[in-house]
């Protein structure tokens, strides 16, 4: 029973570690999407500066900047959709991590209870052996 419980505890610990790693990876992906969106928004909504020797005035008059703006807006819409999907999927990762944590906690508690029971049984055996030794001896008489 002890070997099975130890193996179950190790399995629950591995599942917990895997679930937490998946949740962490998913949270990093959400953070990366947030960062990309904010960077693209900052570039899209900032006023371009025109300096001497810069090709921006030429791109503004030729329509390339407008084309880039349309692309950036489409990219923002796609990134926002991906972000919404990732945030919706996050709940599944949180639920899996919660379940794995519960299983690990339960097996930890069972293992601790088993060790406590073994320790108490060993202490009772020791006390019983000591009391048997003391009762079996005859007192010294003078």
């Amino acid at each position: 029973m002890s070997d099975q419980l130890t193996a179950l505890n190790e399995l629950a610990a591995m599942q917990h570690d895997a679930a937490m790693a998946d949740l962490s990876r998913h949270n990093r992906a959400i953070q990366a999407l947030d960062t990309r969106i904010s960077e693209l928004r900052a570039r899209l909504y900032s006023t371009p500066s025109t300096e001497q020797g810069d090709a921006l005035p030429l791109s503004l008059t030729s329509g390339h900047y407008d084309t880039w703006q349309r692309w950036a807006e489409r990219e923002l819409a796609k990134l926002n959709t991906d972000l919404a999907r990732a945030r919706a999927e996050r709940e599944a990762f949180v639920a899996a991590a919660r379940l794995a944590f519960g299983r690990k906690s339960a097996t930890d508690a069972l293992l601790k209870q088993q060790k406590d029971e073994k320790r108490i049984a060993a202490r009772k055996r020791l006390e019983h052996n000591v009391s048997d030794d003391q009762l079996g001896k005859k007192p010294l008489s003078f």
Side-chain angles (χ1 to χ4, degrees):
M1 174 71 177
S2 177
D3 292 336
Q4 290 176 344
L5 188 56
T6 303
L8 183 63
N9 184 269
E10 290 173 1
L11 177 63
M14 286 188 286
Q15 287 175 336
H16 176 257
D17 291 345
M20 293 304 292
D22 289 343
L23 179 61
S24 178
R25 190 177 311 109
H26 191 73
N27 284 339
R28 281 193 308 273
I30 288 174
Q31 186 63 35
L33 282 170
D34 272 336
T35 302
R36 287 180 59 198
I37 288 170
S38 64
E39 289 173 355
L40 189 55
R41 273 192 188 135
R43 287 181 56 203
L44 180 63
Y45 299 127
S46 66
T47 306
S49 62
T50 57
E51 298 176 4
Q52 196 73 334
D54 193 6
L56 187 62
L58 182 60
S59 69
L60 287 173
T61 57
S62 67
H64 291 296
Y65 188 72
D66 292 336
T67 303
W68 178 83
Q69 281 182 319
R70 284 192 301 276
W71 171 85
E73 288 169 355
R74 283 192 310 271
E75 187 68 15
L76 270 175
K78 179 186 163 295
L79 288 173
N80 280 323
T81 302
D82 292 344
L83 180 62
R85 183 179 303 112
R87 285 186 176 158
E89 290 170 349
R90 185 181 184 279
E91 189 57 38
F93 286 99
V94 170
R98 209 177 276 142
L99 182 64
F101 177 77
R103 286 178 179 159
K104 183 181 178 303
S105 297
T107 57
D108 285 345
L110 287 172
L111 201 57
K112 183 183 179 307
Q113 179 184 5
Q114 184 183 39
K115 286 180 182 180
D116 289 345
E117 288 172 355
K118 283 182 179 180
R119 190 174 346 101
I120 289 170
R123 188 177 338 127
K124 285 183 180 180
R125 276 193 312 273
L126 179 66
E127 289 172 356
H128 182 70
N129 289 341
V130 168
S131 69
D132 283 350
D133 287 345
Q134 289 176 353
L135 290 176
K137 291 183 180 178
K138 294 185 179 178
L140 293 174
S141 59
F142 292 100

